[in-house]
Amino acid sequence: EVGGQALELLHDFKLQELSITCWSFSRLHARYDRLFAGAALHLSTSRTLLQQIHPQGMANLLWAFEKQMAMGSMATEQIATAVVVLIPRCLTLLKQLKPQEFACIFRALACMGLQWGSSQEADILMVSAAGFGLVLIRRLSAPQCVDVLSAFSTYLGTAGGNPFPEVFANFLEALAQRCLDNVSELGLSGATHFVEIAAGAVHLFCDQRERLVG
């Protein structure tokens, strides 16, 4: 079978081959625990692969990992370890990301359970991403803005009361405004989804301001 052959060749894969293989299995909704456990472990331990990762490869890998976890993968522990190793590389690549890569990477990270205050490296990445996002935002489509708004709201919404920097409020406000300015791109269901996410974001920041004032 294709999966078995890929598993046998895993340690010979270059970054492009690894990322496309992982992306393809997840794209086909094919859960393969042994392959993804091996891929995650290989990424976690190979300095060469980490140095080879480019923006599209990063987006493909994180998207694929998140989809496997959503399918109930038994490789969750290995994937989580790989994500920890990949976060510093995400920071290095941040300003090279295209809009689709940016939206894909941060949606995947949020869906995999990262939360504000749980990891210093993840927090540094998210703060930096919010700052860069304010520059990138004019290149994001309205649906991409909704995805990013959802990702950052999810990341901050599990903060458990830990205060977060004002740059997040500025970024989420800009994302919401971008969506409002281009709401016709969303369609009815997309616009409804946006309203729900925006309401949650407003509630999130109102709670923080109340705690700070109190």
Side-chain angles (χ1 to χ4, degrees), residues 29-138:
H29 304 284
R31 176 179 152 186
Y32 198 147
D33 296 350
R34 289 177 60 208
L35 176 63
F36 276 83
L41 180 61
H42 192 25
L43 276 169
S44 301
T45 56
S46 173
R47 182 175 298 180
T48 300
L49 280 180
L50 285 174
Q51 292 173 341
Q52 289 176 346
I53 293 181
H54 46 72
Q56 184 179 0
M58 182 69 77
N60 286 344
L61 284 166
L62 290 175
W63 182 88
F65 284 159
E66 188 273 320
K67 293 302 179 186
Q68 291 292 311
M69 290 179 68
M71 286 188 279
S73 174
M74 298 297 290
T76 298
E77 183 177 343
Q78 293 89 343
I79 290 173
T81 299
V83 169
V84 170
V85 174
L86 290 171
I87 283 174
R89 185 63 177 158
C90 285
L91 184 59
T92 301
L93 295 173
L94 182 60
K95 294 186 179 181
Q96 301 175 38
L97 299 180
K98 296 176 182 177
Q100 184 175 358
E101 295 161 349
F102 184 90
C104 181
I105 285 172
F106 290 100
R107 180 189 178 281
L109 289 173
C111 288
M112 284 191 282
L114 290 181
Q115 55 187 354
W116 175 255
S118 63
S119 162
Q120 184 177 18
E121 288 188 327
D123 288 347
I124 290 171
L125 172 62
M126 298 300 282
V127 169
S128 300
F132 175 63
L134 287 167
V135 177
L136 186 68
I137 196 166
R138 288 298 171 188

Side-chain angles (χ1 to χ4, degrees), residues 23 42-43 45 49 108 113 121 141 144 157-158 180 183 188 193 210:
W23 179 88
H42 192 25
L43 276 169
T45 56
L49 280 180
E121 288 188 327
S141 67
Q144 287 169 343
T158 51
L180 288 171
V183 70
L188 180 58
H193 182 48
E210 286 178 6

